[in-house]
Each structure stands twice: as C-alpha cells, then as structure tokens.
Amino acid sequence: MRWRRGRGVLVAAVVAVVAAGCTVEQAEPKGPMPAPEQGLERFYQQAPQWGECDGFGDPDDRFPPNAQCAKITVPIDYAKPDGPTAQIALSRIPASGAKIGSLLMNPGGPGVSGLSMSGIANRTPLSERFDRVGFDPRGVGASTPSIACLTPQETDAERAERPEENTPEGIAAAEAENKEYADKCVEHSGDALLAHVGTREVVRDMDVIRAVLGDPKLSYLGYSYGTKLGSLYAEQFPDRVRALVLDGAVDSSKDPVQESLHQAAGFQTAFDAYAQHCAKEPDCPLGTDPAQAVARFRQLVNPLWDKPAETTDPRGLGYSDAMTGVTQTLYSDDLWQVLTLGLDELRDGRGDTLLQLADMYDGRRDDGTYNNTQDAFNAIRCVDDPRVTDPAVAGRQDTEYRKAAPFLDDGRGTGKAPLELCASWPVPNSGNPHRISVAGLPKVVVVSTTDDPATPYQAGVDLAAQLDAALITFQGNRHTAALVAGDECLDSAVIAYLVDLKVPEPGLTC
C-alpha cells in the first residue's frame, strides 16, 4: 500500500526472481468447475496461449528462462460483456512436481506490475506443487489498454515543482493542478477505461484468471493492496476459495481519511525506530539524541523547498523527491543503511542517493521514461474510495496528519488544505468502505507485522476478525514479510497452509 503525498505514492513487496529449471507433472483439477455467469462464457472458457515473455513487463525486467507469459481477454465493463475488452498480462513458472494447481499472486500497489511475482518462493514446496502465476491488473503494466496521464517530461516537471503553500492562493493553485492532471488522464486514457479500473473489476478478472488456469478454486497470495483484492474476492466468491494468504492487510472498513492518518502514524513509528538505530552510530546524520531526530531531519530537508541539492543528474534533488526517497527507505529496516547514506550526502549538500530512491519509487527508468505505476495508482484509488469534497474536512485531515507524523511536517500548516486529487476525478467511485462479512469461507490466513509503516498491525488484526481468519503476527520493522523476509517460522507456516491447508496455531508469532 502506498503512502500518500499529494497525488499519492506507493511501494510493493520486494520479491527476488531466481531462475530454476523444472520438469512438470500435471494433475487434473479436483472438483467441478463453477459455471460462469450467463454472457461471460467466452471469457471463462478461453485458453491462454503461453509463450516467451519477451515484450512483457518493463524493459528492465528479467524473467527466468522457464517463465511463460500470455494475455487473456476480459470485458472492460462486466455489465456489458459484448462491449469493449481489455487484455490482462499473465506470467507463470510451471510446477516442478505433482501439481496441486495454480498460485495466483499480487505484490500490492495499487498500480504495481505483478508479472515478476511468478518468481517468488523458488526451490520451495510452493515451486514444486504450484504453477506460480503473476498478473498485471487491468490498466497496469503490460495489460492493455493502459492507464496513462502524464508524459515523462510532464512527470519530471511535476516532481521538480515546489509544493504549494496552504494559503488561499496556494490552495487554489494546487486544486487547479489536480484538475489539470485529471483532465490529462481523460485525454490519454478515456473516461470509459477510468470508470472500470477499480478493485471491483479486478476481483472479477481474478475469477476469470482462476477459470482459464483450470482451477475450480483459487489459491492466492496477496501483499499490501493485494490483501484488498483477496478479501473482496472472498466476499464475492467465497465458494471458489481454496486458500488465501493476505500479508500487510488493508482494512476495507476504513475510509480514506482514517487510512491516511493511520499510515502517517505508522511511518512516524518507522522513522523513530530508524532514529534510535542511527543514534547508536557516532556520525549519525540525525545526531545521537533520538529526541532531537525530527528537528535535525527538518534542518536537512527544509532548505530543499527553495533550493534543490546538487546531483550528478542535472535535475537536482527538490523537496518532494527528497521526502519520497526518505519514505521509500522506511518500508523496511533493510534500507536504513541506505537512508543514512542519503542523509549523509544531504548534509554535505548533495542528493544523488535520495534522487535515485525517488526515481525507483516513481518508476523512472534510466532513459527518462516512466512505467505507469503512479498514474495507475491515482486512477485506481480514485474509483475505489469516496471523495473528500469538504474543505473543512481536508483542513482537519492535514492538521491531524502533521500531528501524526511530525517528521513529514514542513511547518507550513495553516489549518486549511487543498482538496485532494480524487475530488476532481471525472468518473464516480465504484467502491465504498465496509466491513467484510462472508458466509461459507474456508479458513484463510492473515499476516500482520508489528511495526509495518504502510499497513499498521491493527489493520491485520481487524481484517482477520472480519474474515474469521488465522492471524500470524510477525515481529519486525518492515512492510510485508511472508516469503520475502527470510523468516523460517513465518515461511514454513505459510507454505504448510498453502500446500496442505494446515491452519497455523492460534496466536502464532514469528
């Protein structure tokens, strides 16, 4: 789940893709295939044409030699199955042994490509017993048509802009910029696509994917925003669920204002943990007193508001990019050393490391082009959530956000704030916050990390209660952990559940 700055930003679980040869023993699916809804038969009964992955994914992606890719067709509007269609990009690495079925996976976002997910959990029982399948949700990555809003040049210019002040003039300017951005999304993507890129549609696409893969029931691993996909799939198709693992939970009962404030508090907790860790080093750029870390941090970044730091890249490091780069490193304590390097450079007047981190976060390639992660993120969240259209609510949210995360507070709060991008969005929202209530769902698993900055621990506790799921608590400072943190306790429990449907012991903590 991405943190939100202005138009919003995100990161997904990091997965390693490792090449491994395999031989495949196919097994027939167990149980009857559910009948598709009338009018959708041609989508459910299509056969993927698997082939090489050249041309799929980002140009910088490297697929294992045994990866296969394909595209399948889905209706853009499920209420109009004879209307325009979209193509969903899939990748898979076939099972190396006796196959249970397919394991569909999503890394989070929204807006993040999931094709590389097929390389997760190499040389484990999962790679032996499942075809591991990744997919790009509609409008994202290699799926077409693609969500597009800004050109690379426009994105560079937007990132370099100094944030608007929360004065009446600054608020009006920021809202005008949001309206301009929304208009560009309509110009490049079309409002017909924008109206149908939400979680509501992706869940329907996942059921088509399940069917074309030949699975009567879905086995699924979702991280971050991927937990929202999994939980809403369970709500809509409970009788088609075999196994779900949801790691880094998004609690769909929370509205966007609540979610942003909880996320701000989570990142402040991560920053405080980093500051305490850094203070043990004599040359910590934030000093050796953690109580002064926020003040020292603001002394480093506030000058960037008016004067970017020098970088080898001629763009320089402006304030917004610096904050993006810093927040990128707070997703996992594995990146704290990189944050120290970036702040050390900033102390010396340079911003190369933080700019590089911001480029990674925003999907900027070496040639200056971008993937569509940011535009897709904005489009999806604006149709998934109700809009804040009351200026008083926006002002209170800004004030509370600054209190929840002092390290993100630039000191320019006025009690007022611009309405966020989604208030200007050209199509209505198709989703609303609600508690999930499901009858007949098999036991599923939720993983929640104690000091997860992006999806706080309590969200996982609450989601597990709604789904009557088994909860695994992971103790750590990171966003998502199963099969990516290298923890044997957690990984063995998740694998045993996915392979053998062995439910973790109550209260399991790793």
Side-chain angles (χ1 to χ4, degrees):
M1 188 72 180
R2 302 189 106 172
W3 76 293
R4 300 171 185 226
R5 64 150 173 93
R7 292 180 181 160
V9 211
L10 96 148
V11 125
V14 177
V15 297
V17 179
V18 182
C22 66
T23 58
V24 182
E25 298 177 30
Q26 298 292 344
E28 291 299 319
K30 298 177 181 179
M33 293 290 288
E37 184 179 325
Q38 187 174 1
L40 299 177
E41 293 87 352
R42 69 186 179 100
F43 301 107
Y44 275 77
Q45 295 167 2
Q46 63 189 303
Q49 301 300 306
W50 297 103
E52 295 184 356
C53 290
D54 292 345
F56 285 75
D58 195 89
D60 296 330
D61 286 346
R62 296 291 181 269
F63 291 95
N66 55 334
Q68 302 169 343
C69 289
K71 287 188 177 181
I72 63 168
T73 300
V74 297
I76 286 181
D77 183 352
Y78 275 88
K80 299 176 181 178
D82 294 327
T85 59
Q87 284 66 51
I88 307 300
L90 307 176
S91 67
R92 75 171 181 182
I93 297 179
S96 62
K99 189 175 80 170
I100 295 171
S102 301
L103 177 62
L104 186 66
M105 296 175 281
N106 179 273
V112 173
S113 168
L115 293 182
S116 65
M117 291 296 290
S118 59
I120 200 172
N122 250 330
R123 299 184 178 90
T124 70
L126 296 182
S127 63
E128 179 184 351
R129 302 303 304 280
F130 290 96
D131 288 352
R132 290 163 291 153
V133 179
F135 71 105
D136 282 356
R138 57 171 57 206
V140 174
S143 292
T144 55
S146 180
I147 300 166
C149 300
L150 300 183
T151 67
Q153 295 75 20
E154 289 170 335
T155 303
D156 277 349
E158 186 223 20
R159 288 174 55 187
E161 289 177 359
R162 190 179 83 165
E164 298 288 352
E165 302 268 6
N166 281 349
T167 61
E169 297 78 13
I171 289 172
E175 291 179 351
E177 290 173 3
N178 285 342
K179 179 62 167 60
E180 181 183 4
Y181 177 90
D183 290 344
K184 288 180 181 294
C185 293
V186 173
E187 177 186 351
H188 295 297
S189 303
D191 54 11
L193 175 64
L194 295 177
H196 296 284
V197 294
T199 301
R200 177 186 66 177
E201 283 83 11
V202 179
V203 164
R204 301 290 302 270
D205 296 343
M206 288 168 59
D207 198 52
V208 174
I209 294 171
R210 172 201 57 76
V212 302
L213 294 175
D215 293 325
K217 295 181 182 290
L218 178 72
S219 296
Y220 175 76
L221 169 61
Y223 297 96
S224 195
Y225 164 76
T227 67
K228 185 175 182 178
L229 292 174
S231 60
L232 295 187
Y233 182 94
E235 182 179 52
Q236 186 160 354
F237 302 106
D239 59 331
R240 301 179 188 182
V241 170
R242 176 187 172 273
L244 301 179
V245 175
L246 309 177
D247 183 353
V250 175
D251 180 0
S252 295
S253 70
K254 298 292 189 294
D255 66 35
V257 174
Q258 293 173 307
E259 186 182 54
S260 72
L261 296 179
H262 290 158
Q263 200 173 68
F267 276 105
Q268 183 63 47
T269 298
F271 178 87
D272 292 342
Y274 163 73
Q276 292 177 3
H277 170 81
C278 184
K280 298 174 184 177
E281 302 297 327
D283 197 34
C284 172
L286 300 182
T288 55
D289 181 2
Q292 299 298 315
V294 169
R296 294 286 294 268
F297 175 73
R298 296 310 314 182
Q299 290 172 3
L300 288 174
V301 298
N302 280 356
L304 300 175
W305 187 284
D306 296 309
K307 184 180 179 181
E310 292 184 1
T311 58
T312 302
D313 187 297
R315 288 174 294 153
L317 176 76
Y319 177 81
S320 294
D321 278 346
M323 298 306 295
T324 300
V326 167
T327 307
Q328 162 84 311
T329 65
L330 296 178
Y331 275 89
S332 171
D333 53 12
D334 292 339
L335 296 173
W336 286 358
Q337 187 175 358
V338 182
L339 176 54
T340 297
L341 174 61
L343 295 178
D344 271 336
E345 289 180 354
L346 196 55
R347 186 169 54 179
D348 295 334
R350 298 202 58 82
D352 292 282
T353 295
L354 292 180
L355 180 62
Q356 189 174 25
L357 286 164
D359 283 347
M360 292 171 58
Y361 203 61
D362 285 337
R364 192 179 196 269
R365 307 183 183 100
D366 290 342
D367 63 1
T369 62
Y370 286 83
N371 63 35
N372 79 329
T373 294
Q374 290 296 332
D375 289 342
F377 170 72
N378 289 325
I380 295 166
R381 72 186 180 94
C382 283
V383 293
D384 265 8
D385 296 325
R387 287 83 193 269
V388 175
T389 57
D390 184 343
V393 174
R396 288 196 300 271
Q397 180 183 9
D398 183 72
T399 298
E400 293 302 314
Y401 195 96
R402 294 170 186 273
K403 291 179 180 177
F407 89 101
L408 294 174
D409 182 8
D410 55 29
R412 293 173 168 84
T414 63
K416 298 182 179 181
L419 295 175
E420 208 212 3
L421 168 66
C422 295
S424 300
W425 207 243
V427 295
N429 58 296
S430 57
N432 282 290
H434 64 282
R435 289 184 60 82
I436 296 174
S437 179
V438 185
L441 182 69
K443 204 70 172 179
V444 302
V445 173
V446 172
V447 180
S448 200
T449 299
T450 53
D451 292 304
D452 185 326
T455 52
Y457 176 74
Q458 188 61 40
V461 175
D462 293 342
L463 181 63
Q466 292 171 48
L467 295 174
D468 190 26
L471 175 67
I472 302 176
T473 295
F474 181 73
Q475 296 178 320
N477 290 281
R478 59 178 298 124
H479 178 47
T480 73
L483 305 175
V484 295
D487 185 84
E488 183 177 356
C489 165
L490 174 59
D491 292 352
S492 61
V494 167
I495 290 171
Y497 166 72
L498 288 171
V499 172
D500 299 317
L501 299 181
K502 179 182 178 182
V503 178
E505 294 293 328
L508 178 62
T509 299
C510 296

